Amino acid sequence: MTDSKKTVVVGASPNPSRYAYQAAHMLSRFGHEFIPLSIKRGSVAGEEIMNLKEKPPISEVDTLSLYIGPQHHDEWMDYWLSLSPKRIIFNPGTENLEFMEKAKAEGIEVVSGCTLVMLQSGIY
């Protein structure tokens, strides 16, 4: 089994048809600790979704996996960067050049990719 990478699923959802829901379940299945974070309420893969609006402190973050469109990033960008992730995965549809440049400037690895594909192909 691979080393666990603590992952914050940004835009987590209790809706099974959402990719963020699928990512949470797959992260769990692959043995990665995950923190669901969203403005939505509920739970996913046995974890209560943390309220993004409260900007909760989360320590030792390896990866942020984004499932929120770039039109909503400005409000949260500084908070997400304050979590000091080692990398940010911009899942399809979440790409944001300004955010990517800010992250790179802080020494954060930026990945344009799909968390689900990365997990399934063993490159997570």
Side-chain angles (χ1 to χ4, degrees), residues 1-123:
M1 178 175 262
T2 185
D3 291 331
S4 178
K5 292 183 169 88
K6 186 175 184 179
T7 302
V8 178
V9 179
V10 180
S13 174
N15 181 343
S17 70
R18 307 296 294 185
Y19 288 117
Y21 174 95
Q22 295 170 30
H25 280 270
M26 193 175 289
L27 285 161
S28 177
R29 195 166 61 246
F30 278 79
H32 296 287
E33 179 183 358
F34 73 94
I35 309 294
L37 182 67
S38 184
I39 61 171
K40 295 180 173 80
R41 294 180 183 209
S43 63
V44 60
E47 297 291 331
E48 194 66 27
I49 297 173
M50 295 180 79
N51 188 343
L52 176 58
K53 292 179 181 178
E54 294 176 358
K55 299 179 181 176
I58 304 171
S59 62
E60 299 177 22
V61 175
D62 181 86
T63 302
L64 281 183
S65 181
L66 291 179
Y67 289 94
I68 291 178
Q71 69 274 22
H72 301 293
H73 290 181
D74 285 349
E75 182 176 357
W76 312 109
M77 199 180 311
D78 290 336
Y79 163 65
W80 294 332
L81 292 172
S82 78
L83 298 177
S84 302
K86 293 178 183 167
R87 71 176 168 176
I88 300 174
I89 300 173
F90 289 82
N91 287 283
T94 68
E95 298 88 350
N96 177 332
L97 292 178
E98 177 190 353
F99 188 15
M100 291 169 147
E101 291 304 318
K102 279 188 171 186
K104 286 179 188 176
E106 294 201 18
I108 299 168
E109 178 187 0
V110 169
V111 177
S112 288
C114 175
T115 298
L116 299 171
V117 171
M118 291 171 71
L119 284 163
Q120 290 173 329
S121 62
I123 60 170

